[in-house]
Amino acid sequence: MGKAERDSDGQIAALKKVAEQFAVAVTPHIQAQIDPSDPKDPLARQFLPDAAELEIHDHERDDPIGDAAHSPVAGIVHRYPDRVLLKLVNVCPVYCRFCFRREMVGPGSKGLNADQLDAAIDYIATHPAIWEVILTGGDPLIVSPRRLKEVIAKLNAIPHLGVIRIHSRVPVVDPARINDEMIDALQASDKPVWLLLHANHAREFVGEAEAAIKKLVLAGVPMLGQSVLLRGVNDDAATLTALMRGFVECRIKPYYLHHGDLAPGTAHLRTTIAEGQALMRAIRGNVSGLCQPDYVLDIPGGYGKAPIGPEYLSEDSSINRTADGEASAESRYRVMDYCGDVHTYPPKP
């Protein structure tokens, strides 16, 4: 056996171990978009298993954003006062290699049964401070339109709810699911139903995916976009710009750019925060404000999201004094423009 054959056998064995530990699935639509001749293909990097996933670091966590600490009943995560997550299912049409719930999702993972769903809905109904419900999972759009319509109807009947939000990758990874029945289910609520689309590279907005997004937008479904900053996928200014412009050209407002969570086996895909801040500074001013997401970190342990973009404003250390030596009543700040030049505010006379 030659060295190439031994290396190949070793790689196959490693990938089998990855598949034993973490769920693997790729839709035919995504398979058709991956360029097998490109070893650095950004879609392959997102969806195809990598032996590097077997490298688990001590600081990585099975529940990196602390869902369990805020789960009063099955399927509910109540981290913020006015909104809850409703984790309807634990399966997805594809499994992202950087998924922060990778220890909890996959084939065989059960979603909420009828009694658990009723208990989750009852929790929402008995907590009037909850204004927004976010359907997540897994991917909630993997369920049948009939079931989705039933869940939306239950939520629509809760008087104090103001909005229903759905987080999904389906329009770009399995666009055939966005059919007339699914559109009808999304329109079956008196309350506004917002769809937050997860995409990480401009190549995801192609062909059938672009058509599915257009169908949603023309049906009046308001859409926002979220992405994860990923090494080798979107961690340079040109690629990140193309991604954010791709959202906007599809009539989707970029909402969040997530720093990679500390999920097991994902270190090879995480950037540093400093690299993320530099990228956000690079696209500030040079790219339309429509294309600017909030760069956020989900604080490990369940403490919520924090904006971690670059700072542009600081207090001026030189305090102006009046003629009698008293401090001026008006504070002065140093503010950096998008070119990196520093100015004072209010401007010095």
Side-chain angles (χ1 to χ4, degrees):
M1 180 183 292
K3 182 177 184 302
E5 290 176 297
R6 290 196 302 272
D7 289 347
S8 177
D9 287 345
Q11 290 170 356
I12 291 172
L15 293 178
K16 285 182 177 179
K17 288 183 179 179
V18 172
E20 290 169 0
Q21 188 163 351
F22 304 115
V24 178
V26 182
T27 60
H29 173 79
I30 288 295
Q31 287 179 352
Q33 309 306 318
I34 292 174
D35 181 358
S37 67
D38 181 4
K40 297 182 178 180
D41 184 276
L43 298 185
R45 193 161 170 81
Q46 289 187 65
F47 301 114
L48 299 186
D50 189 316
E53 295 175 53
L54 298 174
E55 299 175 16
I56 311 295
H57 294 253
D58 290 342
H59 58 267
E60 294 177 334
R61 304 183 178 198
D62 291 350
D63 182 13
I65 69 170
D67 279 351
H70 299 280
S71 185
V73 298
I76 292 287
V77 178
H78 195 174
R79 182 178 285 108
Y80 303 103
D82 78 332
R83 55 207 182 273
V84 296
L85 302 180
L86 175 54
K87 295 195 285 187
L88 191 59
V89 292
N90 289 325
V91 293
C92 302
V94 296
Y95 293 102
C96 304
R97 308 324 304 162
F98 50 88
C99 178
F100 66 96
R101 292 195 179 116
R102 62 191 333 214
E103 293 284 353
M104 307 163 200
V105 300
S109 300
K110 295 182 179 180
L112 298 182
N113 61 35
D115 289 342
Q116 289 172 327
L117 178 59
D118 286 345
I121 297 293
D122 184 63
Y123 179 88
I124 297 165
T126 55
H127 287 75
I130 298 173
W131 174 80
E132 180 182 26
V133 171
I134 302 165
L135 295 182
T136 182
D139 195 315
L141 292 191
I142 203 171
V143 305
S144 70
R146 177 191 56 78
R147 188 178 182 214
L148 181 65
K149 193 172 185 176
E150 290 173 354
V151 173
I152 288 175
K154 291 176 184 289
L155 295 173
N156 188 56
I158 300 175
H160 58 260
L161 281 188
V163 66
I164 301 165
R165 194 199 316 175
I166 298 174
H167 287 190
S168 180
R169 295 212 77 176
V170 161
V172 292
V173 301
D174 197 7
R177 287 184 177 271
I178 307 302
N179 53 27
D180 292 343
E181 290 77 15
M182 186 67 77
I183 294 290
D184 180 63
L186 295 171
Q187 293 178 322
S189 171
D190 296 329
K191 303 179 192 299
V193 176
W194 286 68
L195 182 58
L196 199 70
L197 176 67
H198 175 182
N200 298 313
H201 195 276
R203 274 179 45 205
E204 293 176 55
F205 304 117
V206 296
E208 294 175 3
E210 188 176 26
I213 294 168
K214 185 176 182 179
K215 183 181 292 188
L216 288 162
V217 171
L218 293 181
V221 179
M223 296 185 69
L224 297 171
Q226 66 175 349
S227 307
V228 180
L229 182 59
L230 298 168
R231 186 174 301 283
V233 175
N234 54 24
D235 62 332
D236 65 86
T239 303
L240 192 62
T241 294
L243 169 61
M244 297 306 158
R245 285 177 174 170
F247 274 122
V248 173
E249 288 168 6
C250 287
R251 289 174 277 191
I252 300 171
K253 174 67 180 79
Y255 179 47
Y256 279 145
L257 175 65
H258 295 270
H259 187 73
D261 293 310
L262 298 177
T266 61
H268 62 294
L269 291 169
R270 282 196 302 275
T271 68
T272 66
I273 288 176
E275 288 169 328
Q277 290 174 327
L279 282 169
M280 292 304 296
R281 181 173 277 117
I283 68 172
R284 171 66 59 183
N286 294 308
V287 181
S288 167
L290 288 173
C291 301
Q292 305 287 336
D294 279 338
Y295 180 39
V296 296
L297 171 70
D298 242 314
I299 304 170
Y303 300 102
K305 294 180 181 66
I308 56 170
E311 295 291 335
Y312 294 90
L313 187 70
S314 61
E315 203 162 6
D316 196 336
S317 58
S318 59
I319 301 174
N320 291 331
R321 300 281 174 175
T322 60
D324 58 3
E326 295 294 323
S328 170
E330 186 167 32
S331 298
R332 191 176 298 278
Y333 296 89
R334 293 162 54 86
V335 58
M336 182 185 298
D337 64 28
Y338 77 95
C339 295
D341 296 324
V342 177
H343 312 270
T344 57
Y345 178 83
K348 292 180 179 179

